[in-house]
Amino acid sequence: MTPESPARTLAAHRERLSLPWWAWPAALLSGTILAAELTFGLPDIPWWLPFVVLVPLSVLLLLPLNRLRIAVTPTEFQVDDARLPVAVISDVVALDAAGKREALGVGAHPYAFVVQRPWIPTAVQVVLDDPADPTPYWVVSTRKPVELATLLLEVSRRERAERSS
């Protein structure tokens, strides 16, 4: 059996950008308050109907926000359904809260690919080197920006070295 190249055996990064714990009780409370308002405002409907409909609906509306996944494989950077070959990554910058605010602020490039979650203060900025793609960089929220940036740079360098040899 032949040994695999170092790029193929590299440990992968997986992260799920889930909601903070307080979002779930806040959704339940909001649904309950709205249901109570409708119960008082529409006395002709049964009192329990707004609660049966709106409280579960308030929780179901949060489920799509809780499914975003980030992964790094030896050949791709995956953010939800988007895929970026690591060979086109030229630089990666770990951003703290102030850096993320600046990267997403007034000076942001209009073609940048942005996946950000406001409840996650940190992010990475992945600078691309692909003449065929008008996207200059990706900004992606992450709870582990330094770890993700280091891994992306390492995987990108290994993939470029493997392609050039």
Side-chain angles (χ1 to χ4, degrees), residues 12-17 67-73 77-80 82 115 117 120 124 140-144 148 152:
H13 174 87
R14 296 198 184 285
E15 183 178 1
R16 183 172 165 204
L17 300 183
R67 68 176 272 281
L68 187 73
R69 295 185 190 280
I70 296 174
V72 177
T73 66
F77 178 39
Q78 304 167 353
V79 180
D80 200 21
V115 176
R117 295 295 183 249
I120 299 175
V124 292
V140 179
S141 291
T142 179
R143 288 188 174 90
K144 303 173 185 175
L148 181 58
L152 279 171

Side-chain angles (χ1 to χ4, degrees), residues 80-137:
D80 200 21
D81 295 334
R83 304 284 189 260
L84 179 68
V86 294
V88 300
I89 296 174
S90 67
D91 194 17
V92 183
V93 180
L95 302 173
D96 60 358
K100 179 180 173 184
R101 196 169 37 255
E102 184 178 329
L104 299 175
V106 178
H109 195 283
Y111 291 155
F113 178 77
V114 177
V115 176
Q116 72 99 13
R117 295 295 183 249
W119 56 87
I120 299 175
T122 54
V124 292
Q125 183 176 25
V126 181
V127 181
L128 307 181
D129 182 23
D130 186 5
D133 188 1
T135 307
Y137 57 86

Side-chain angles (χ1 to χ4, degrees), residues 27-55 58:
L28 286 172
L29 182 63
S30 299
T32 304
I33 290 172
L34 185 58
E37 290 288 330
L38 286 175
T39 300
F40 295 137
L42 302 170
D44 295 338
I45 62 172
W47 70 269
W48 52 267
L49 184 62
F51 291 94
V52 169
V53 173
L54 293 176
V55 173
S58 65

